[in-house]
Amino acid sequence: MIVITSILGLLIMVMLVILFTLRARSLSLDQQTAACLLQHQEYFQYLSINMDSPEALLPPPGKLTINELKAIQQKLLEWIEVLEGSHRDKLSELCEQMGLVELNRNRLHSHIHWERIDAVYHLGVMRAKTCTSELLSLLERETDESTAFVIGRAAAKCAQQPGELRKLILRLVKHHPQSQHLIMDIIGSSTLDPIPVFLEMLLTQEEDLIIVALVGLSGRNVPEAIPYLNSLVQSEHKEVRVKASKLLLQYTHLLLPDQLLAFMQHSDWEIRVAAVKVAGQQPVGDFTDMLKHAMLDSEWWVRHHAIASLSKLGMNGFQAMCEAAIAADEELHRDMARAAIHEHMESAESLAAQDIRQLLYFNECSHLYEKMFNESYVDRNVTQLRISS
C-alpha cells in the first residue's frame, strides 16, 4: 500500500512539473510574440496606410527569424479573418511573398497530427491557392478523422476552380453523408460560385450527392434548376422527392396552379405541408377549397398549416374554416377546426379595439359565426366593443 501511494505521489509530481513547464513555455512564447509585434509596429502601420493602394504590399525589410515570421503571421491572419475583397487578397499575396505559405506547406508533412492540422488552418486563412491539391490529398488520407471538416474548410477557402470544389464535396459526402448542412457551410466559405457544381450533381444517380446539392440550392434564386427539380420530384427516394418539391415550391410564380394542387394532394405529407404553406400566400380564393379539405388531413402538421394559411385569406378563409368545422366527421378534426376559429376570432377582436376597419371585419366574422353555428360568439348585452382612443 505504501509503495502504491509513493508511485501515485510521484506521478502527481511529474504531472505538475509537466504542466508547469508547458505553462512557462506558453508564457515565454507569448512574451516573444508581443516583443516581435512591438518591434515591427512601424511595418504594421505601413500596411494599414497602404491597404487601399493599387500597388502590392511589400514584406518587412531585412531577414526575419522564425519567431518574427510567426509573430507577423499571427497579426496578418487576424486581419485576413476580418477583411474581405481586395484587402484580403493583398494580404494573402503578401503571405505568399513572405514565405508563410511555404512555411506551413512544409508542416503538412509533419508526423505530428496536430501540427498538420494547425498548418491546414493557417493555409486556409491565408487562402493559399497553390495548396488546394495538397489539402485535398490530405483530406483523402484523413477523411475519417474528426478534423476532416477543418481540412475541408481550408480547401474550400483555397479552391480556385469549380473542379476543385466538386472534388471537395465528393470526398466529404463519401465519408460524411449525414453532414449535409455542415458540408454546405464549408462550401459557403469558398469565393467560388457553387451553383454550376450543384446543378451538375443533380444529374448523378447517387442519392447522397443529390441531397447535398438540393440542400445547397435551398434558399437560393436559381430558376435554371427547375427542369432538374421537375424530374427529381418523381424520385423513388423520399428525401430527394421532398427536398426537390420544397425547392420547386420556392418558384410558385413559375408554377402552374395545377402543379400546386398536385403537391397539396401528394402522398408524402411533408410535401403537402409545404404546399399548403405556399397556398396561403396566393391570391384569395384560388386554393380555398383545397385548404378547407387540407384542414381534415390525416396528418396534424398539414391541418395546422392549412388553418394558418386560411387565416391569411380574410373572410373567404374564415368562412372556409367554418365550413370545414361543420363538415368534419371526426370529433378531433371538428374540435381542431373550432379551436382555430376561436383563435382567429380572438385575434380579430384584439385588433378591432385599435382600428375601425378591423372592427368592421370582426363584426362581419361574428355575424357569419352566429349564422353558421347558430350561436353568438360574444354576448352583446354584456360587452360592447369600442374603438380605443
Side-chain angles (χ1 to χ4, degrees), residues 24-37:
R25 183 184 177 189
S26 177
L27 288 173
S28 176
L29 289 174
D30 289 343
Q31 290 172 353
Q32 290 178 32
T33 299
C36 288
L37 292 176

Side-chain angles (χ1 to χ4, degrees), residues 319-379:
Q319 181 173 342
M321 282 192 280
C322 294
E323 291 171 352
I326 293 171
D329 294 327
E330 296 185 23
E331 184 178 358
L332 174 64
H333 295 174
R334 189 162 51 249
D335 290 345
M336 184 174 180
R338 291 291 289 265
I341 292 167
H342 291 155
E343 182 179 346
H344 186 80
M345 291 289 289
E346 288 171 6
S347 176
E349 184 175 12
S350 175
L351 293 172
Q354 305 169 31
D355 187 274
I356 185 64
R357 290 169 297 182
Q358 294 296 333
L359 175 60
L360 295 174
Y361 175 72
F362 173 72
N363 287 338
E364 193 174 356
C365 287
S366 298
H367 177 71
L368 180 62
Y369 181 92
E370 185 172 356
K371 178 182 177 181
M372 297 193 72
F373 295 105
N374 196 29
E375 63 182 34
S376 176
Y377 177 72
V378 293
D379 186 352

Side-chain angles (χ1 to χ4, degrees), residues 232-248:
L232 292 173
V233 295
Q234 308 298 329
S235 172
E236 60 181 8
H237 303 292
K238 180 175 180 178
E239 189 172 1
V240 172
R241 287 196 307 270
V242 170
K243 280 184 164 52
S245 298
K246 288 182 177 180
L247 270 178
L248 204 53

